[in-house]
Amino acid sequence: MANELQKVFTRSPLLGTDTHSLCPGCGEPTAIRVLMENVEEMEERENAICVLGIGCYTAFASLMEVDCQQAMHGRAPAQATGVKRVLPDRLVFTLQGDGDMVTEGIQEIIHAAARGEKITAICLNNATFGETGGHMTATSVVGQKSKSTLDGRDPDVHGHPIRLPEMLRDLDGVAYVARGTVHTPVGAKKTKKLLRAALETQRRGLGFSLVEILTMCPTGWFVPTADGPRFQEENILPVFGVGELKRPAEL
Amino acid sequence: MAKSIGTVDILVDSCKGCELCIPVCPPKVLVMSKAVNAIGFRYPELRDGCTGCELCAEICPDYCFEVFRGRAAEAGEVSA
Amino acid sequence: MTNPTRAFLEGGHALAEAAIQAGCRFYCGYPMTPSTEVLEYMARRMPEVGGVCVNVEAELEGINMVWGATGAGVRSMIASTTNGMALMQESLSEMVVGRIPAVIVNMGRGQGDYFMCTRGGGHGSNRCIVLAPWTAQEAVGTAYRAFYLAEKWRHPVMIFGDFILSHTSETVTFGAPADATGPLPEKDWATDGARGRAPRLLTSLGMKIPEAPDGTPLPDGQTRTDVTAPMRMAVRRHEAIAAEEVRVESEGLDDAELVVTAFGVPARFARYAAKLAREDGMKIGFVRPYTLVPFPEGRFREVAARGVPIAVFENNAGQMVQDVRLAVEGRTPVHFIGGISMDSSGFGVGPEIDALHILQRLREVYAARSAA
């Protein structure tokens, strides 16, 4: 009916009602929002168990209206394995950062992927240690300035960034791999679809699934919040391509 | 084709003033306030012309937007 | 295979079978002598009872799988050895704070892991409950007791054995000991999906703490974040466990002029040496701590109050001897008569694990007792 306005967007009830403590312009709350919208729309609230690593996003364990376990830095894929193996009908996903999954915990994620654990691993990749205030991670791009790479990441000294989804793609246990970005509204919408496909891969028992989500960290990039999207496009996206890398035929 | 019209409720006191919503708004009807909210940040204010497209809500890290949308009255239709 | 009631088994196998009969349904391990036997047994037996056994890629992953499975409400266990235990320490420390009632078995190479097992090993002020069985039969009872105590206190429990315990075959009877039966608290913390209930958060970080620092509940629905709250709650739990769960065995203390103490399988050698010494006319008593945490300080204080010296035998460079000295607070001499004693492989029986050797050391200390 004309002029009758319908509410078309509101905060997911699975995100609680409290405010969160993450910095202005952070991409993580957006990534977590589209994740929880998926859980809600898939009607998996009572079936979902989230295992969180250690990073800024860990604070969301207090907001997310699903069962949550907090893991040690880097170990969430192993912990989620323990959960999924004893409760195989639950929807089990990890929430980790690049520092957690790629830097500290690369062994756990590689073995979980190789075992074909029927979990969904979610990496919020902002290419920096945001929580400590901007230090180099294994995904920091060449030339990126941080508090531990003052003149920019130099491959001769600090090595090269790791593209984890591309590394994992060829493992037989891996069913679904994708990378999304949430620095634009369209990117957030597309990322939501990637997460849906990954969770659906798990729900159908097709194998291991992983979505890396590029999230802005203006604090750790040392740029004004409004410049976050520009920094992401100029520095991060050329290194980390967005899209599906592997998708099961059954999906 | 009826024109989409809409509005947003802005939860001003959740805003941290990141300004990400300002450039993504297609009709450019969000402007930053001069005043600050309860936690000291400037926040977006809505001007006339919102289409309810949800892009501000999609980009907002602090879940500040609730979006409402409908269709404008067709020519000849009497609006209430 | 149906559950055996009586069997002739290596200690490691016996412990594994007892864990299964105690309800353990998730096990993971990384092969390492002498804990490998637990993994081998579980790999065959877990599928028979509908459980899960994972040959994990690293102890670091294993302990966190056990964290996850335990957190999901399922009795879970991991066994490892010495170096593998060292790899687990960060998670173990945090599992005390996060109240993850898992069972962890250290079949050590010798007893050099006493500090690691009893000090928490990792960061913080945290200690697991640590049980040290000395026979295969006691290892069986310990498996039931470990799960029972873990859930009673919602606190991780470690079983500390060695290569002799793991590799020696003895006849065992299965069944829960009397002190490991009875009702346990409901697992109202398990994160198994929020079905018809509010979501739960299992964390060691003090998020969503439902009580104020002094322990009083917060008003309805209010929660707070206080990283130190779970640490302080762990300290209170340590004290309560120490008050209630000390288990220690002793013999011949009434007329003893020297007391020998040891834990685990080496205590069998020490006890026999004390018996031989008695036959030689030496009045030697014997104390065996079964709970290393909580440590039976009271028993040693009683010995010290009578001015009786204590000789500590252990298969390491002198670790439990420190706890004995702390317990007696200088009131009586405490002699270390142990030492690192393994064969050249690092996990076989060395020459000092021998009652006659211990007897000789006891003679020396006994002779010197009045001089001291």
Side-chain angles (χ1 to χ4, degrees), chain B:
Chain B
M1 187 68 187
K3 191 178 161 194
S4 174
I5 60 165
T7 190
V8 291
D9 279 354
I10 303 173
L11 307 174
V12 167
D13 285 336
S14 297
C15 178
K16 297 184 188 134
C18 71
E19 304 185 22
L20 290 179
C21 55
I22 304 298
V24 303
C25 175
K28 305 292 177 207
V29 292
L30 291 171
V31 291
M32 291 305 282
S33 67
K34 294 277 190 290
V36 297
N37 65 11
I39 49 174
F41 292 108
R42 299 194 302 125
Y43 50 87
E45 292 175 325
L46 182 66
R47 298 283 185 262
D48 288 341
C50 174
T51 63
C53 71
E54 304 177 36
L55 296 193
C56 53
E58 286 285 344
I59 201 67
C60 176
D62 295 296
Y63 314 145
C64 294
F65 294 94
E66 287 200 319
V67 185
F68 302 82
R69 187 165 64 230
R71 283 183 298 105
E74 300 279 1
E77 197 175 343
V78 180
S79 60

Side-chain angles (χ1 to χ4, degrees), chain A residues 47 67-70 90 115, chain C residues 57 192 195 197 203-204:
Chain A
N47 216 33
D67 271 9
C68 290
Q69 290 190 11
Q70 158 251 319
R90 307 302 203 274
R115 287 192 306 268
Chain C
E57 292 86 357
D192 52 359
R195 294 180 173 180
R197 59 162 172 78
T203 174
S204 60

Side-chain angles (χ1 to χ4, degrees), chain C residues 53-365:
Chain C
C53 175
V54 181
N55 187 143
V56 77
E57 292 86 357
E59 292 84 350
L60 194 54
E61 286 185 275
I63 187 64
N64 291 290
M65 283 188 195
V66 164
W67 183 332
T70 306
V74 173
R75 286 191 168 182
S76 308
M77 186 172 95
I78 184 170
S80 187
T81 296
T82 305
N83 310 49
M85 294 299 300
L87 286 172
M88 300 182 197
Q89 291 300 324
E90 184 208 20
S91 296
L92 261 181
S93 297
E94 211 74 18
M95 285 162 75
V96 173
V97 180
R99 306 197 65 184
I100 310 298
V103 173
I104 302 99
V105 181
N106 179 14
M107 289 296 187
R109 296 184 166 178
Q111 295 185 313
D113 305 337
Y114 181 92
F115 284 155
M116 179 166 66
C117 293
T118 60
R119 267 49 177 180
H123 56 290
S125 300
N126 315 304
R127 296 184 177 205
C128 298
I129 296 170
V130 184
L131 310 176
W134 71 335
T135 64
Q137 181 63 60
E138 196 174 73
V140 165
T142 299
Y144 294 92
R145 191 177 290 115
F147 282 108
Y148 184 82
L149 292 178
E151 290 178 13
K152 175 181 174 184
W153 295 99
R154 207 185 138 195
H155 197 95
V157 175
M158 188 182 295
I159 301 173
F160 183 20
D162 66 0
F163 50 79
I164 314 179
L165 182 76
S166 186
H167 287 170
T168 305
S169 293
E170 299 183 78
T171 300
V172 296
T173 304
F174 293 97
D179 68 338
T181 53
L184 285 166
E186 191 193 338
K187 293 184 182 178
D188 58 3
W189 44 266
T191 51
D192 52 359
R195 294 180 173 180
R197 59 162 172 78
R200 292 169 178 162
L201 167 59
L202 200 57
T203 174
S204 60
L205 296 179
M207 291 182 281
K208 271 190 164 175
I209 291 290
E211 60 182 66
D214 64 0
T216 54
L218 297 175
D220 260 1
Q222 283 191 32
T223 55
R224 73 167 74 219
T225 297
D226 179 352
V227 170
T228 67
M231 298 177 190
R232 282 181 282 112
M233 286 157 74
V235 173
R236 288 210 298 268
R237 209 158 56 249
H238 289 152
E239 290 165 358
I241 290 167
E244 216 173 298
E245 303 294 355
V246 169
R247 286 167 175 82
V248 58
E249 188 176 79
S250 49
E251 289 175 2
L253 297 189
D254 288 347
D255 65 342
E257 295 184 20
L258 173 68
V259 164
V260 62
T261 183
F263 69 96
V265 176
R268 294 165 80 168
F269 296 82
R271 177 171 176 258
Y272 189 64
K275 179 172 173 280
L276 295 177
R278 284 253 171 203
E279 289 168 6
D280 275 4
M282 294 183 277
K283 291 176 180 169
I284 294 188
F286 169 72
V287 175
R288 175 178 74 96
Y290 168 73
T291 54
L292 302 182
V293 177
F295 192 69
E297 295 169 354
R299 190 62 51 89
F300 291 105
R301 273 195 219 105
E302 289 160 23
V303 171
R306 286 184 275 133
V308 176
I310 300 169
V312 183
F313 179 76
E314 48 187 329
N315 188 1
N316 57 39
Q319 298 187 16
M320 185 176 81
V321 64
Q322 293 193 2
D323 280 339
V324 177
R325 286 187 175 130
L326 286 169
V328 306
E329 293 183 285
R331 285 189 289 260
T332 195
V334 176
H335 306 274
F336 178 62
I337 61 166
I340 299 166
S341 184
M342 288 169 273
D343 71 4
S344 57
S345 73
F347 42 80
V349 180
E352 291 175 42
I353 309 297
D354 174 16
L356 295 179
H357 166 80
I358 299 169
L359 177 63
Q360 180 54 35
R361 298 300 310 273
L362 288 176
R363 274 202 191 96
E364 292 161 16
V365 176

